[in-house]
Every structure is written in structure tokens, then in C-alpha cells.
Amino acid sequence: MLSAMLFAELGLSLLLTLASSVSIAYLIGDNDAGLLFLISGILSIILVHGARKRVAIIRAGLIVGLLQAIALFFIDRFRIGNPERYLMFLLNGIVSSVIVVGILPVFEYLFKTVTNISLLELADFSQPLLQRMVMEAPGTYHHSLVVGNLSESACLAVGANSLLARVGAYYHDIGKLEKPEYFSENQDIKMSKHNDLSATMSKLVIMNHVHEGLELAKKYRLNPPLVDFIKQHHGTSLVYYFYRRALESLEEDHEVKEEGFRYPGPKPSTKETAIVLLADSVEAATRASKEPTPKNIEDVVHKIINNKFIDRQLDACDLTLKDLEKISAVFIRILS
């Protein structure tokens, strides 16, 4: 049960079940017991895989306990021997599920991973970081919600972890809480804090939100998989607007290097972080569009995704060209 919830690969859980069943059969010298635990182990994996509520784990334990008691009846060739044995097998499933519920957070911490149950708790808008965003950076909060919806739908289309992507999108821009007024979604349309800053200074303020986000994640002890969304949601992308502004204000004896206007990275390493990177860029571009008609939205989405692909921001993840087509179709439909 633990391995099925902690790791996406069911093969690992099945291997552990097989190994433990063979070990049990060898240690007690009873092949029927090994078969019984193999069947109940496989069933428990199926029942808890993808579980989003703790009650699903308890329910799985109850079902597995009942199955073990019924299987024991068949193994005993339809003769009820000692009733205590049946009770023990029934309790085995229930007690196992209770133990899993209790120690799951410990194993999440040890393996630096996050389960669906923890993700749903992090998606609760009473979380301190999300509460701060609502009050201090409402534009960023709304932007994160839209990015979360886009990412979740895109992940469903390509078979990635939709819940992880949605919750990761909620937290990807928490670094903007330090200077929310410098980001377009929180600004007055007619006034911009960047009007009084040089392109280089503006670039530093914008790029620094990734570092600030990592500091807040450390302070609030966010799970490592969510920290990846903060680190990777811009990859090594160019801060294009301020790079162009720096070129336009360039004096003859100066040089503007493109590398100085790129985020430090790293590039997205999973499908989920890559999809959030694309959703983040697409949402910002369509929001800034003066004429957000369906045709213009389609053009913007294709342009953004093509640019990210050409800029090699997707090199470190497993997204295919077919996946990118599905993602762009989802983005266009939702944004339109």
C-alpha cells in the first residue's frame, strides 16, 4: 500500500508484493499462505493506487481483510476451523490500512515525495502561502488559478499527473509576494513601476522572483516536488521584453549580452513542470493580447509553444511533438 501511494511505478509495488509473498511462504513453509498474501497484496495495490482520500485507504484495508478471510475459507476446503484465524486475517487488512494512514507523512518526508492526499491538503486555499497571495498579490493569485486549470487539463490529455501540475501551478509564483507591484498582473494598467527603472534593474527584479520563491518554499517547508515547479517554471528562458528595451537604449560603446537576461534554470525535468512552464507563458501572453479573439489566441498559443521548443526549454523532459499538439489544442480550447 505504501509503495503504491509513494511511487508512480506500480511495477515496484508488485515486485515488493511478490518478494514478500515468496518470503512468507518460505519462512513458514506454507505455499497457500504465500499465495494468499500475493493475491491480497495485488488487490491492495489496485485499490489504493491514485487514492485521494484517507478513507479510500481504510476502505481498501477492509476489502482486503474480507478477501483474505474468504480466501482462507477456500484454502481450508470449505471447512471453518478456528474462527480466530479468520478474525486475524480480517483485522490484518484493517490494521495495515490504519498503519499506512498514520505513517504515510513520515515516508513522504523520507523519500522526498508527495502523495495525492498531501497534494489535496496543499490545494486548500486556507494554506498560509495561498492566503497571503489572495491578500497581497490578487493578480498573481488569479494568474496561478488559470495556469493551474490549463496545466491540469493538459496533463490529462497527455497522461501526466494532473493533480501535481495543478497544485504546482498554485505555488509556482509565490516569489512574487515579495514585490507584487512589479508584476503586470498586479499593476494598474496605466502605471508601471518599471517606467522609472532601467531595463537591467527591471530584469533583476523580475528574475529574482524565482529566488524569492525558493526562500519562501524553504521557510514554509514545501515538499521538494513543488519546489521543482518554482525552480523550473521559466527554465533558462529569455526575459525578452526587458532585453529588447536594453537593446533599444543601447549606447555605442556598450554591449548587451543575451545570457545576462536569461533565467538561471534549470529547464523543466518532468512533463508536469514543462506543462506549467508552457501554461504560464501562454496565459501571460493571451492576457496581454489587445484582441483576444479565438483566432488570435490560437496564433499566440502556437507561437509561444514553438518558441519554447526552438529555444530548447523542453529538452530535459519527456514531452513529444504529439504531446505538444495535444497541449496546444487544450490551451486554445480553454483560453478561447
Side-chain angles (χ1 to χ4, degrees), residues 289-309:
S289 177
K290 293 179 180 178
E291 293 183 39
T293 62
K295 180 66 174 69
N296 286 345
I297 288 172
E298 184 176 351
D299 291 341
V300 167
V301 170
H302 283 304
K303 181 181 177 182
I304 292 289
I305 293 178
N306 286 339
N307 286 346
K308 295 298 180 186
F309 177 75

Side-chain angles (χ1 to χ4, degrees), residues 248-298:
E248 288 166 6
S249 60
L250 184 64
E251 297 179 7
E252 290 182 9
D253 58 339
H254 287 78
E255 182 185 1
V256 176
K257 291 185 178 180
E258 186 179 298
E259 292 77 15
F261 283 79
R262 284 189 175 275
Y263 284 94
K267 295 175 182 178
S269 58
T270 64
K271 286 184 178 182
E272 292 81 11
T273 51
I275 286 170
V276 168
L277 177 146
L278 295 174
D280 183 39
S281 301
V282 162
E283 195 281 334
T286 50
R287 180 165 31 83
S289 177
K290 293 179 180 178
E291 293 183 39
T293 62
K295 180 66 174 69
N296 286 345
I297 288 172
E298 184 176 351

Side-chain angles (χ1 to χ4, degrees), residues 77-258:
R77 293 172 177 80
F78 311 105
R79 292 192 304 272
I80 297 177
N82 187 352
E84 288 183 5
R85 289 178 68 208
Y86 291 89
L87 181 61
M88 284 176 65
F89 275 101
L90 176 62
L91 289 175
N92 175 39
I94 299 170
V95 171
S96 293
S97 63
V98 171
I99 291 171
V100 168
V101 170
I103 65 175
L104 189 60
V106 177
F107 279 83
E108 284 183 282
Y109 174 78
L110 290 174
F111 288 101
K112 299 187 185 304
T113 187
V114 61
T115 62
N116 288 342
I117 293 170
S118 295
L119 284 172
L120 284 171
E121 290 171 353
L122 287 163
D124 186 348
F125 292 113
S126 65
Q127 289 288 337
L129 273 171
L130 297 182
Q131 280 286 302
R132 278 191 62 188
M133 202 178 292
V134 170
M135 300 303 295
E136 299 172 32
T140 299
Y141 167 74
H142 179 261
H143 160 73
S144 298
L145 287 183
V146 178
V147 171
N149 291 335
L150 289 169
S151 301
E152 182 177 37
S153 299
C155 282
L156 288 171
V158 300
N161 188 332
S162 58
L163 181 59
L164 175 61
R166 174 160 66 89
V167 179
Y170 289 168
Y171 289 87
H172 80 286
D173 266 346
I174 57 172
K176 292 181 179 179
L177 283 169
E178 296 304 308
K179 290 184 174 67
E181 68 277 10
Y182 284 90
F183 297 89
S184 59
E185 65 266 25
N186 300 308
Q187 291 173 352
D188 188 299
I189 295 172
K190 297 176 183 177
M191 299 282 290
S192 173
K193 289 278 187 179
H194 295 283
N195 293 341
D196 302 324
L197 298 178
S198 67
T200 304
M201 187 58 67
S202 291
K203 173 262 299 186
L204 290 173
V205 173
I206 295 297
M207 288 173 60
N208 197 49
H209 84 274
V210 174
H211 174 71
E212 296 289 356
L214 294 174
E215 290 297 314
L216 280 173
K218 187 176 179 181
K219 178 181 175 181
Y220 285 87
R221 298 180 180 178
L222 281 187
N223 304 59
L226 296 184
V227 176
D228 288 341
F229 286 91
I230 299 169
K231 282 195 292 189
Q232 300 174 14
H233 77 274
H234 282 296
T236 58
S237 299
L238 182 68
V239 186
Y240 186 75
Y241 176 79
F242 293 111
Y243 175 64
R244 290 297 307 170
R245 220 174 88 177
L247 288 176
E248 288 166 6
S249 60
L250 184 64
E251 297 179 7
E252 290 182 9
D253 58 339
H254 287 78
E255 182 185 1
V256 176
K257 291 185 178 180
E258 186 179 298

